[in-house]
């Protein structure tokens, strides 16, 4: 992607967040920070892995410098990198290494989303992969303290992945096309 229309990318990610992540309740913790405007969508124009790692570092610093009441979480969106899921997946190791190097393990964790997300041991067409499919590659920087706070009041958090799989497996073809239009653009 040579020229990134950041407002269009932001709009598509916000739509996915509201329709899929919150609308299907795939992440029961997302609705409140979204409602309170505590989720930042940072569209990176990085075209190298080094530049993206610097962007992620800067977003971690922003989270460090901003109270959770103002900014709870950040989605770093990379429309110009990682068309291939395998490349994206390997880069996650560098993000984890960055958190380790910064001494931020236990402070932040990274959730991963990609248009071609495929869980280990699944077929690319398996419905369960929809739980982590997004319009663009996304690195979700999550405050662990915020997750822990919410988990104290959430019944059966261990059951979330299974409920999510059941949810997406029960979507009709029409619902999948409506909720995940980015999966059908080139078809």
């Amino acid at each position: 992607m040579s020229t990134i229309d950041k407002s269009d990318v932001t709009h598509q990610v916000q739509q996915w967040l509201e329709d899929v992540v919150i609308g299907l309740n795939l992440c029961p913790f997302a609705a409140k920070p979204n409602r309170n405007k505590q989720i930042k969508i940072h569209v990176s124009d990085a075209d190298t892995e080094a530049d993206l790692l610097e962007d992620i570092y800067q977003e971690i610093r922003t989270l460090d410098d901003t109270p959770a009441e103002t900014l709870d979480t950040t989605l770093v969106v990379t429309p110009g990198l990682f068309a291939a899921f395998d490349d994206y997946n390997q880069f996650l190791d560098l993000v984890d290494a960055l958190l380790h190097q910064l001494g931020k393990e236990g402070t932040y964790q990274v959730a991963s989303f990609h248009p071609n997300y495929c869980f280990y041991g699944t077929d690319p067409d398996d419905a369960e992969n929809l739980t982590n499919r997004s319009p663009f590659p996304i690195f979700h920087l999550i405050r662990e303290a915020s997750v822990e706070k919410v988990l104290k009041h959430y019944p059966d958090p261990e059951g979330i992945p299974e409920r999510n799989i059941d949810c997406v497996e029960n979507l009709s073809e029409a619902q999948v096309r409506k909720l995940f239009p980015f999966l059908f653009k080139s078809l």
Side-chain angles (χ1 to χ4, degrees):
M1 184 179 284
S2 57
T3 305
I4 297 171
D5 181 345
K6 289 186 176 187
S7 65
D8 182 53
V9 171
T10 300
H11 174 76
Q12 288 182 56
V13 171
Q14 185 67 39
Q15 193 72 48
W16 164 77
L17 179 65
E18 291 175 4
D19 293 348
V20 176
V21 177
I22 296 169
L24 296 177
N25 200 31
L26 298 180
C27 177
F29 321 124
K32 184 177 179 184
N34 186 60
R35 196 172 42 250
N36 293 339
K37 309 253 187 267
Q38 296 167 291
I39 299 174
K40 178 180 180 182
I41 298 173
H42 171 76
V43 179
S44 173
D45 54 9
D47 55 6
T48 68
E49 290 183 7
D51 289 345
L52 177 58
L53 210 54
E54 177 64 26
D55 273 1
I56 291 171
Y57 169 72
Q58 292 302 328
E59 291 307 315
I60 290 168
R61 290 191 58 199
T62 298
L63 285 166
D64 281 345
D65 295 341
T66 311
E69 298 76 30
T70 303
L71 176 62
D72 194 44
T73 190
T74 299
L75 302 173
V76 179
V77 185
T78 62
L81 287 172
F82 304 121
F85 175 67
D86 288 342
D87 295 338
Y88 168 86
N89 205 28
Q90 288 179 352
F91 185 78
L92 282 168
D93 290 338
L94 292 176
V95 178
D96 287 338
L98 176 64
L99 288 174
H100 176 76
Q101 182 181 21
L102 295 173
K104 298 297 180 181
E105 292 172 311
T107 303
Y108 303 110
Q109 60 180 268
V110 179
S112 54
F113 302 93
H114 189 278
N116 299 313
Y117 200 97
C118 188
F119 287 104
Y120 179 77
T122 65
D123 184 74
D125 293 330
D126 287 349
E128 68 188 81
N129 294 312
L130 291 173
T131 64
N132 286 62
R133 292 217 170 145
S134 57
F136 303 96
I138 297 174
F139 299 89
H140 181 188
L141 303 173
I142 305 167
R143 293 179 191 265
E144 288 201 11
S146 296
V147 172
E148 290 169 8
K149 192 163 115 178
V150 173
L151 286 177
K152 289 180 184 176
H153 307 288
Y154 190 82
D156 188 29
E158 297 82 19
I160 292 171
E162 192 61 39
R163 283 191 300 275
N164 289 350
I165 292 168
D166 288 343
C167 175
V168 295
E169 285 179 340
N170 287 305
L171 294 173
S172 70
E173 179 67 25
Q175 289 171 312
V176 170
R177 286 185 171 277
K178 182 179 182 202
L179 292 169
F180 300 92
F182 51 89
L183 298 178
F184 303 96
K185 283 184 178 177
S186 61
L187 297 178

